[in-house]
Amino acid sequence: MAFLNIPKGKSEFEKIRREGLHYVDKTGLIGEILKSSGTQVTLITRPRRFGKTLGMSTLECFLDIQKDSKSLFEGLEISKQKDICDAWMNQWPVMSLSLKAVEGNDFSTAYEQFAYEIGELYKKHEYLMQSSVLNEEEKKLFWNIAYKHAGKVEVMRSLQILSEFLNRHYHKNVILLIDEYDVPLAKAHENGFYDEMAFLIRNLFGNVLKTNESLAFA
C-alpha cells in the first residue's frame, strides 16, 4: 500500500503542493466560480471540515497578481481550462482576509483582534507605500490602518479604502476573499456583545461590497 502524506491541520494550498503532500484535486471548482463571476458576491456555506479554507487559499493562489503559481497547478483539473488560466491566473489584485481569530470576552478585546487582522492584510500590500498613485495623506492613512493607529471609522472603511488603492495601483478591479466571516458574530453572541460586533461587521462589509466600483467580485 502506498504511503499517503496527509496534510493534517494544514489548509494552505501553496504549502501542500510545494511539500508534495496528498491533495484531492478540487480545482475544477475554480472554473465554476470564475465562469459565474458576473455575480458580485458569492456566499459559500458548507458543513465544518468541508474544505472551505483550503478552497479560499487555492483561489487566492490562482488569482493573486503578486504570485507566480503556474507550477503549483500543473497537472490539476483547472490547468486543462486554458481560457480560464489565460484570463485569470495571477492576473488580479486580491485581498484575502480571515476572521477566525477575531474573538474575545468583551467587545474591546475582539475589536483589537479585528484591527490586528486588518493591519496584517494591509501589511501584505505595504508596497503601496511606495506607489506613485497614492498621495502623502493617503499613505499616512494606509500606515495608520496597517499599524493600528486608525480610528474605528477608518477601520470600518478599511477594506473599501484598500480596494480603491489597489485598483488605482494596478488599474484593475480587486477580488475580495473573506474566510470565517461568521466567527466574530458567533463569539460576540456567546459573550453578550453581539449588537456592537454586528454594527462593526455590517459597516465593514457594507462599505466594500455595495456599489464599490473598485471591486470585481467577492
Side-chain angles (χ1 to χ4, degrees):
M1 182 181 292
F3 175 75
L4 296 181
N5 194 357
I6 304 294
K8 184 178 180 181
K10 295 184 178 180
S11 55
E12 296 176 5
F13 174 79
E14 184 172 356
K15 182 175 290 187
I16 289 172
R17 293 292 285 167
R18 292 200 187 282
E19 295 180 4
L21 303 178
H22 187 64
Y23 174 70
V24 177
D25 186 0
K26 295 183 180 180
T27 59
L29 292 171
I30 295 175
E32 292 185 29
I33 290 172
L34 296 181
K35 286 173 183 176
S36 63
S37 61
T39 302
Q40 186 80 353
V41 180
T42 300
L43 175 63
I44 300 172
T45 58
R46 285 292 185 271
R48 285 178 57 81
R49 316 316 306 165
F50 183 80
K52 299 185 296 296
T53 295
L54 176 56
M56 286 286 197
S57 176
T58 306
L59 196 57
E60 177 188 6
C61 199
F62 184 83
L63 295 167
D64 194 347
I65 198 170
Q66 296 186 78
K67 299 179 183 292
D68 182 2
S69 306
K70 184 177 181 179
S71 63
L72 300 177
F73 289 93
E74 286 180 355
L76 299 181
E77 179 65 28
I78 191 62
S79 67
K80 301 173 186 177
Q81 302 184 43
K82 190 174 184 301
D83 57 332
I84 292 290
C85 291
D86 289 345
W88 294 92
M89 185 183 285
N90 304 135
Q91 297 292 317
W92 298 85
V94 174
M95 302 186 333
S96 181
L97 175 67
S98 174
L99 298 179
K100 67 180 179 181
V102 178
E103 58 177 286
N105 293 326
D106 53 56
F107 178 71
S108 178
T109 303
Y111 176 81
E112 287 298 313
Q113 297 271 22
F114 188 89
Y116 175 85
E117 295 299 336
I118 293 291
E120 291 303 294
L121 170 61
Y122 266 63
K123 289 173 187 175
K124 291 180 184 178
H125 300 281
E126 200 156 6
Y127 56 87
L128 289 173
M129 289 290 290
Q130 309 303 321
S131 177
S132 60
V133 302
L134 269 63
N135 60 40
E136 291 306 311
E137 196 65 29
E138 290 168 331
K139 290 177 181 179
K140 181 180 179 182
L141 174 60
F142 183 99
W143 190 92
N144 283 340
I145 296 173
Y147 291 94
K148 298 203 308 178
H149 294 287
K152 285 185 180 179
V153 171
E154 288 82 4
V155 170
M156 286 190 292
R157 300 189 75 94
S158 58
L159 295 184
Q160 176 197 4
I161 292 167
L162 184 57
S163 69
E164 292 174 358
F165 289 175
L166 288 169
N167 172 258
R168 283 158 51 191
H169 180 78
Y170 287 109
H171 304 289
K172 287 188 172 186
N173 283 357
V174 177
I175 294 167
L176 172 63
L177 305 175
I178 301 175
D179 194 25
E180 305 281 5
Y181 74 94
D182 58 325
V183 169
L185 294 170
K187 296 297 183 180
H189 178 71
E190 291 175 11
N191 291 290
F193 55 92
Y194 179 85
D195 289 346
E196 293 166 285
M197 182 57 70
F199 179 80
L200 178 65
I201 295 291
R202 183 166 60 247
N203 278 276
L204 179 79
F205 290 176
N207 286 324
V208 70
L209 297 178
K210 294 180 180 179
T211 61
N212 182 359
E213 295 183 358
S214 298
L215 188 68
F217 69 88

